[in-house]
Amino acid sequence: MELFTALIVIGGMGLVFGGLLAVAAKHFAVEEDARVETICDLLPGANCGACGFPGCISFAENVVGLKADASGCIPGGKDICDSICKVMGIDSVGSEVKKVAEISCLGSRDVAPDKFEYHGVRDCNAALAFSGGFKACKYGCLGLGTCAESCPFDALHMGDNGLPIVDRERCTACGICVKACPRDLIRIADADRTCKYVPCNSKDKGKVVREVCEVGCTGCKACVKACPQDAIVVEDSLAVIDSSKCDNCGECVDACRRSIIKDAAKVHHA
Amino acid sequence: MDKKLVVSSSPHLKSPENIHSIMVDVLVALFPVALMAVFLFGYRALATMVIATLVAMITEAIILRKGNLFGDGSAAVTGLLLAMVLPPAPPWWVVVIGSAVAVGIGKHLFGGIGNNIFNPALVGRAVLVVSWGAHVAGDVWMRPVPFNFTADIVTEATPLATKAASLLDLFIGTVSGSLGETSALALIIGGIWLYYRGHIDWRIPGAFIALVFVFGLFDGGFNMGLYHVLAGGVLLGALFMATDMVTSPVTSVGKLIFGGGCGLITMIIRLFGSYPEGVMFSILLMNSLTPIIDNLTLPKRFGEVKQKNA
Amino acid sequence: MSERTFVGGIHPGYYKDFSSGKPIASARAPAQVIISLHQNIGAPCDPVVQVGDEVKMGQKIGEPKGFVSTPVFASVSGKVTKIEPFTHPLGNPLPAVFIENDGQDKPDEGMKPGKPLEELSAEEIKQIAKDFGLVGLGGATFPTHVKLSPPPEVKIDTVIINGAECEPFLTADHRQMLEQADDIVYGLKAFMKSLGATNGIIGVEDNKLDALASMNRAVAEGKGEYDIKVHALHTKYPQGAEKMLIKATTGREVPPGALPMAVNVVNQNGGTAVALAEAIKLGKPLYERIVTVTGPGIKEPANMMVRNGTMVKDLIEQCGGMTEDARKLILGGPMMGLAQATDEVPVIKGTSGVLILTEEFVKDLSIDPCIKCGKCIDVCPMALMPNFIGSASEKNKIEMAEKYGAMDCFECGCCTYTCPAKRPLVQWIRIAKGEIGARRKK
Amino acid sequence: MTTLTQEFSKGIIKQNPVFVQLLGMCPILAVTITATNGFGMGIASMFVLLSSNIVVSFIRNVVPPRVRIPAYILVIATFVTITDLVLNAFLPSLHAALGIFIPLIVVNCMIMGRAEGFARKNTLGRSVIDALGMGIGFTLALTILGIVRELLGAGSIFGANIMGSSFEPMALFASPPGAFIALGILLAIFNYFYRKFGVQ
Amino acid sequence: MELNLAAIIFVAILANNIVLNQFLGVCPYLGVSKRIETSLGMGMAVVFVMTLATIVSWVIFNFILIPLDLVYLRTIAFILVIASLVQLVEIVLKKNNPTLFKALGIYLPLITTNCAILGVALLNIQMGHNIIQTVVYAIAAAIGFTMALVIMAGIRERLELVNMSGLLQGAAVTLVTAGILSLSFMGFAGIMTL
């Protein structure tokens, strides 16, 4: 008998509430796409914003709404792109190559002097408001770590010499630091490319560069002459190596009068 | 002139005052209180103060990995303040743990100086009260014996429990109680020094003491009002604990509310609660409300009213 | 002690003794002047001379581009050698006219007395201020004629001459009040006439008793039918800030974000009054000004009449050079002036002082966490919450910075001066203001 | 797809419901005065989690999505009631110590979370493995906190006195504030190790 | 009776706060205490639902479960009530009061799994309250929850401006803060007892 009442009570309550909810739910149907949640689960969840949307959820919504590309999550890379494509039922797109941030300045504190002493907020943007920055070279890294601060993946750190160091393992090539650097010294490049590059961004004339930095490119064109592949051009007194032509022969490294040409993958990386 | 010019944002003048100098001022303000404690309770009080201060400084030096033991002086202040709210002669390990907790949990867990939400010294004491109530907040307390440095401990109930001490005894401090709270005279001297140096605002102690006094009136007239102000930790709390810059509101109105709240809660606990003293709880509680008080009492900006009328 | 003051503010060391006793001396005219075409707040000028042109002293060389702008004049006679960007006191290179001094100081034909004040109309006075390149000489360089052009519905009843000179070290206004008091009164009368104002007030901080006496004498002698009073003000920084001065002298509070016109007041610097007086009396355009060269890092502090475009380096040399331990060069006062990266920078219309500070003033102090002592809030003349604005800006929480009043800050520096944790509050607030401004534009 | 071993171990370390996901905080704080209570609570929760995961996994294709949550709650509540009755019958002292927090297992977000987030999408086998992993992770966390609090607050572990008679227990850890503080510090310590060994 | 009600209020809000002293609703306490505004919204939603749920639970318990001798079904019955109630409230609000729905809507799903609701309903039965005491107790407990939530939100907004070690950020420091808060609320012990 007791068993019976129990069944009736719970069953009755279930019926009453279930019925109420069923009626209510019928009148207030809300469209939901389960794929948003699924994709959101796949994403790294750092809410870094590299995709151009204000967070992972937003990106997922836009992917489902076909407003964002499945490969949009840069930190996620190829794997996540594939998974998203699977959820969305489309063919996989996106590049295979692992990319990392690269810093194009070698002007550490000891080789690229300051023109005056700066006291105040330790932030590159803040420091630039004073006479265009305290560094004598007006293209060089100020070394106050605004880029390191901006990295959502803890992949950039300031070295003892005042230059940032990229942690290649952690770097996801999200590009936040590229935007953070007020001197545009960071770029995203293939992690494993085998070519040489010139870690300098100074467009000053050679004479000026020699005054303000020991490791700046003077645009002397010695490397241009040395390169058997014609992969190097000098524009605005700055040598640029075309990585598609470079065969990594190393002639330019020997030719460079300031010995600043390096293997691309070996600069500023931990 | 061989060095490079210095460039910085305006202003280019800075006041000579810094955190270190403020902390030294607070230590100076605590000196008469400490002196009185040694005078009343003898070497045991001195030992308690030294242990608390040293442990606080060592804890901070370890956490910050700094060789400079004194640092900016804030740890010493925390340690000494903790000693002030402990009995004259608790077991040494109680002092050590309390001091380490005060600096470690009360202060550095929240990000170090300037960032703590609660008064570190009181966090230390609160933890001790809950953990070893009998050692730090029991029913019997060491009786002060001036100029007697070797005497054995004689115990008695606190004036808050008996309500029988004379007002003069309370003012001079010849009553039992926490190490630093008995002598109103010494506390007032310290408070005046802090006020003179501009480190405390009259609003917090003012509102605190005023409310304690008013509630005391209900407990038994003018004398009882004074009694409530002088007995127990009200003066120590109002002048040294509630006025802690980091954990009290920054706005003028906020300071009044803060002080008033402390006084109110103290008296509620004293008159109705199961604890004889409520200063510590009231200040900790108001500490937690500080961010909200600050946000609700933003000062009226220059010229703001006129804009609304226009 | 005067009761006229405002709430908040600080009492820094005043250090006026370096130069307050030094009469205004004429600085040597340099062999070359570099006159920036950016001389005022608002639009810069276009050059109206060409390289190779011979110019005369007082000749117009830069024509204003917009309404909020004033012309620029040659401060020597000679030949234009270059027109190209040169270091500006703001820090970045900006267009400037280089003139080689021929040493003859040949005056321009325009420099001759015009009609006396009595015969000038309000409109004509305004035109003179505009044509002769007058700007606020206190340092903000706001074009004077703009201040003289209130919208028609606003009736200005009071003109205040700012003689507070609350910035430590600076003594240019002080000396001017001693030596050119009559011209100040004359200039004030012209302002009042131009604006149709009935009240004239000269506010002087009560640490300059001799200046007060001098102004009282000049007013008594020269005020004529005008209602002009001299007010002694409580000595406190920033007593000379526009809004604080108006509060102290008239009791009116300028609303946040508004100009003094909103409370029917116009504020003018004493130096500007003298410049207007000289423009009316002598037809002399604004090509030179009084500069205080002072500070512990200068060997012989002085107050000097300096031609626009003179190198600061040149001035420092005339004052005996810098001392061994000089470390910081500031144009303007120590509270709001701009630190310079080099002494190769020209004097402009707004340069009220050249201040050299020594080692002991420029220690690079570590920035400690805010201990919420609330001292910055106590001293903030605008009743803002500098500590929270600073912390919010540090963490890039711009909305929070705005909520605590970042946009109402005029960067007087009281908070940073008083901060025991040595936090660069003004700099953070400035960053937040820039960010808020950029977002509002969007 | 993850292997079964990974599925199992993730609940213990990588996605520990307490130290990483911060789920089920109420029982964790309330019942960990002693290690025994913590362990008992952990086992009870694990039982409910396992049973409900099994059932949910069974009925996952039958339940219409709109009544999903109420249906799951009903399933969980049933097992909680069973647990309640069983504990009351066989371990009355533990039942008394855990008190109201036994019925409150119903609203332990960890159980609802696993039913909603895992069992309804996965096969029976995987759901069982998942429940076991999560349940052990949860029990482990409860027991660790229980040990810490009991050791400091009473000088014993699982009721066995080990600190000697001269030890004066730190009563803080037996009180509500101590629960918060102990768990907070424990979390920070775990964060440190998680970071050190690169567990995300 | 009147004093008793006052005691219920005092104890439920201060002396025996459901979050700080009874560990009910700790999950949302950690989750929703980041902003003062959000925490106020959540608090309002909890006041609303908790009062309703506790009353309905009390009615079901006293008029259905006790007469039928089915006390052991209380957990199932109560959770059914709460889950359905939350959904019903959501639906009704959506239709009749869109403004309130906008303000409370996002918090409603969070409340189903808020153990404070079920906890208070159960505690209420345990304490043997009559219907008036039930209402008062439910509202007071919810206000206590809201108060603890808002205080914590204020503290966390301030802690956001702090350079804190990543190890402590978030839950760790929030828990310790809650602990110290709980410590300071201990002062109210013994002022009024039930």
Side-chain angles (χ1 to χ4, degrees), chain A residues 116-121 126 130-131, chain C residues 91 327 341 362 364 427-428 431:
Chain A
F116 59 86
E117 217 178 301
Y118 165 74
H119 293 179
V121 176
F130 295 93
S131 300
Chain C
R327 285 302 303 286
V362 294
D364 192 8
Q427 198 181 356
W428 273 319
I431 293 168

Side-chain angles (χ1 to χ4, degrees), chain B residues 88-137:
Chain B
W92 64 270
W93 50 270
V94 165
V95 185
V96 170
I97 293 178
S99 200
V101 164
V103 174
I105 293 182
K107 181 177 172 194
H108 282 285
L109 199 133
F110 292 94
I113 184 164
N115 300 329
N116 45 302
I117 298 295
F118 301 95
N119 186 320
L122 289 182
V123 169
R125 179 170 192 265
V127 165
L128 294 181
V129 167
V130 175
S131 298
W132 299 284
H135 287 309
V136 282

Side-chain angles (χ1 to χ4, degrees), chain C residues 173-188:
Chain C
D173 290 355
H174 184 184
R175 291 312 305 181
Q176 195 154 36
M177 286 188 282
L178 290 178
E179 298 177 31
Q180 297 175 315
D182 296 322
D183 277 352
I184 294 176
V185 176
Y186 189 90
L188 173 56

Side-chain angles (χ1 to χ4, degrees), chain C residues 157-161 188 192 197-203 219 226-231:
Chain C
D157 57 20
T158 306
V159 176
I160 303 172
I161 293 294
L188 173 56
M192 289 169 70
T198 45
N199 294 315
I201 298 174
I202 300 168
V219 167
Y226 291 89
D227 181 9
I228 297 176
K229 291 188 191 74
V230 179
H231 282 182

Side-chain angles (χ1 to χ4, degrees), chain E residues 153-168:
Chain E
I155 292 173
R156 286 181 76 174
E157 276 190 11
R158 177 159 288 186
L159 285 176
E160 254 179 40
L161 298 177
V162 167
N163 289 320
M164 193 185 289
S165 148
L167 302 176
L168 292 163

